Amino acid sequence: MQYHNTPFDQLRVGDTAELKRLCTEDDFLVFAANSGNHNPLHLAREDGDGDGQNEAIAPALFVGALVSAVLGNILPGAGTMYRSQKFEFADRALAGEELLARVRVVEKRPPRDVVLETSVTRPRDGATIVSGTAVVIAPDRAMSFQELEVPGLVVQRHRHFDALLDKSRPLPPIPTAVVAPEDPNSLGGALLAARETIITPILVGCPDKITRAAHELGQPLAGVEIVPVEGHAEAAGKAVDLVVDGQAGALMKGHLHTDDLLRAALRHDRGLRIGRRFTHVFVMDIPGQPHPLLVTDAAINIEPDLPTKIDITQNAIDLAISIGMKTPKVGVLSAVETVNPAIRSSIDAALLSKMAERGQIKGGLVDGPLAMDNAVSMAAARTKGIVSPVAGQADILVVPNLDAGNMLAKQLTYIAHAEAAGVVLGAKVPIVLNSRADDDKARLASCAVAALHAARIGGFGQ
């Protein structure tokens, strides 16, 4: 779009201009970050006035700023500067509403001052949100500009995890054996998930250490079951016993080594094997992305062979369906997007793709080999001439090995500001596998993912 300004000598009384704008929750978050006005009335997930309803009311000066967009872009346009602005606020706008900002020239004051009547209305019902008067210094020469490209803003909001939490809350809390929650991080995540009614924690470990962790958190343990066990290996074994005996529908890692937990889950006698390899899936909420992105396997299988990759792929598809993806799109990654006999990951990717085509992997669309760029970018896929229902829009990324997966997941977390929920699949029940560096949001989301999966595959949560 090209913008043309109107210099002072070409302006006429009665000239008008207008712009439409759809208000979004993210607009209000950006305004809060830029202005420092964190009034909860403007934040969609807060009840800012205590009436029991969460409102996302547009900040008044955000609405007023829509007037400045008309003045600066159209009339008078480029080169315009404010002298003053008067606003009268008659109504309020909400997130999701379309607004119309309009200005009309009412007076010219040489040498270059212009008085304009300003308003913002809601076209849906014709309501006036704000009215007022602006006095500006008009430009003194004609100019035109292509629509300027300004740096994009990504709101670091994890809307996909919020949606998963909303889905999981109505389910019955899933009894979850939390293994050695003997530090504030692991215990706090379990207690938070309990407050959100996602899990009913059964704390398995040293009672003294668990109590000290609760004291550090300042949270009571009244009503929370504690199964006293000394030693991490013993705690893991007891937690698995609870699952085998039908007393728990999920496992959750606390303050112990992953190997200790998985060793108990993989034991031949009273273990949790169901015939598939145990595989790990990161469910990643990346700000600005239209859907969660699943990355697998980044935590358990170091150099997976083809049979293991089959289970990795199938487990991830099953989990994606559990969290609401109807037909998940799986991009099997390699360094290239063509089969190269010298690159094993490209051969494995092609085989997995053909196996899915023949029904040996079910429930999703699988394509590979795909390089990272053409797995997630439609533009990159078009540039490479790749025609595929998966390329450019993958929901699941199957990585060549643990090194690649771990690096990808951590890059997304620390550079792209993603939150990552971690779950182990292939066992009788989902296993929540958190990192010590995970924050409360990640731990809570991991519990939500596990609860949704457990509810879909049967047992607790039904």
Side-chain angles (χ1 to χ4, degrees), residues 195-442:
R195 290 197 299 275
E196 294 284 346
T197 70
I198 296 170
I199 71 171
T200 299
I202 305 168
L203 309 181
V204 184
C206 173
D208 290 341
K209 293 178 180 178
I210 294 172
T211 301
R212 281 198 297 271
H215 181 73
E216 285 186 52
L217 289 168
Q219 296 185 31
L221 292 175
V224 179
E225 183 179 357
I226 299 177
V227 178
V229 182
E230 297 293 338
H232 288 171
E234 293 77 9
K238 182 59 179 178
V240 170
D241 287 341
L242 293 174
V243 173
V244 173
D245 294 337
Q247 298 177 52
L251 285 179
M252 183 174 181
K253 176 178 177 281
H255 191 61
L256 78 165
H257 289 296
T258 300
D259 288 350
D260 287 334
L261 178 59
L262 295 184
R263 192 176 296 112
L266 286 166
R267 66 194 183 192
H268 290 283
D269 181 30
R270 289 175 60 80
L272 302 182
R273 298 171 186 261
I274 57 171
R276 283 191 196 166
R277 288 294 295 260
F278 281 20
T279 68
H280 181 272
V281 181
F282 275 123
V283 180
M284 310 208 73
D285 187 339
I286 308 165
Q289 293 301 302
H291 57 78
L293 186 66
L294 279 62
V295 176
T296 186
D297 181 336
I300 293 180
N301 293 284
I302 298 172
E303 288 288 347
D305 56 13
L306 181 63
T308 302
K309 287 183 179 178
I310 295 169
D311 285 351
I312 287 171
T313 304
Q314 188 64 67
N315 284 343
I317 290 172
D318 291 347
L319 182 66
I321 293 170
S322 293
I323 65 173
M325 297 180 181
K326 188 174 180 181
T327 307
K329 301 178 180 69
V330 183
V332 188
L333 297 185
S334 183
V336 293
E337 61 279 341
T338 55
V339 177
N340 183 334
I343 303 176
R344 197 192 94 189
S345 61
S346 74
I347 299 172
D348 287 349
L351 291 171
L352 291 168
S353 179
K354 179 57 70 174
M355 292 175 77
E357 191 179 302
R358 297 287 173 86
Q360 292 171 269
I361 298 172
K362 303 179 185 298
L365 301 173
V366 182
D367 194 19
L370 293 172
M372 180 66 186
D373 56 348
N374 46 60
V376 298
S377 166
M378 289 293 291
R382 290 193 195 101
T383 298
K384 296 288 182 69
I386 301 171
V387 179
S388 158
V390 174
Q393 49 189 333
D395 302 307
I396 300 168
L397 299 178
V398 176
V399 299
N401 54 35
L402 185 143
D403 278 342
N406 193 271
M407 284 186 272
L408 173 58
K410 288 180 178 175
Q411 285 164 353
L412 292 173
T413 299
Y414 290 99
I415 296 176
H417 307 290
E419 286 278 10
V423 182
V424 174
L425 304 171
K428 181 179 179 181
V429 299
I431 302 172
V432 176
L433 200 63
N434 293 119
S435 163
R436 284 172 292 180
D438 286 344
D439 62 14
D440 284 346
K441 187 81 166 187

Side-chain angles (χ1 to χ4, degrees), residues 113-251:
D113 283 6
V114 181
V115 183
L116 302 101
E117 177 185 88
T118 65
S119 66
V120 179
T121 59
R122 183 168 50 223
R124 174 174 57 81
D125 59 5
T128 297
I129 307 299
V130 59
S131 57
T133 303
V135 180
V136 301
I137 303 170
D140 62 356
R141 65 190 64 138
M143 293 180 286
S144 63
F145 293 89
Q146 290 293 333
E147 187 170 12
L148 299 179
E149 184 176 339
V150 297
L153 295 176
V154 176
V155 177
Q156 292 181 29
R157 183 158 74 97
H158 298 99
R159 67 176 79 243
H160 304 306
F161 278 2
D162 291 339
L164 291 178
L165 292 170
D166 289 341
K167 282 183 182 179
S168 64
R169 286 187 184 101
L171 298 172
I174 181 169
T176 300
V178 187
V179 188
E182 298 167 352
D183 74 315
N185 279 346
S186 57
L187 179 61
L191 296 180
L192 176 60
R195 290 197 299 275
E196 294 284 346
T197 70
I198 296 170
I199 71 171
T200 299
I202 305 168
L203 309 181
V204 184
C206 173
D208 290 341
K209 293 178 180 178
I210 294 172
T211 301
R212 281 198 297 271
H215 181 73
E216 285 186 52
L217 289 168
Q219 296 185 31
L221 292 175
V224 179
E225 183 179 357
I226 299 177
V227 178
V229 182
E230 297 293 338
H232 288 171
E234 293 77 9
K238 182 59 179 178
V240 170
D241 287 341
L242 293 174
V243 173
V244 173
D245 294 337
Q247 298 177 52
L251 285 179

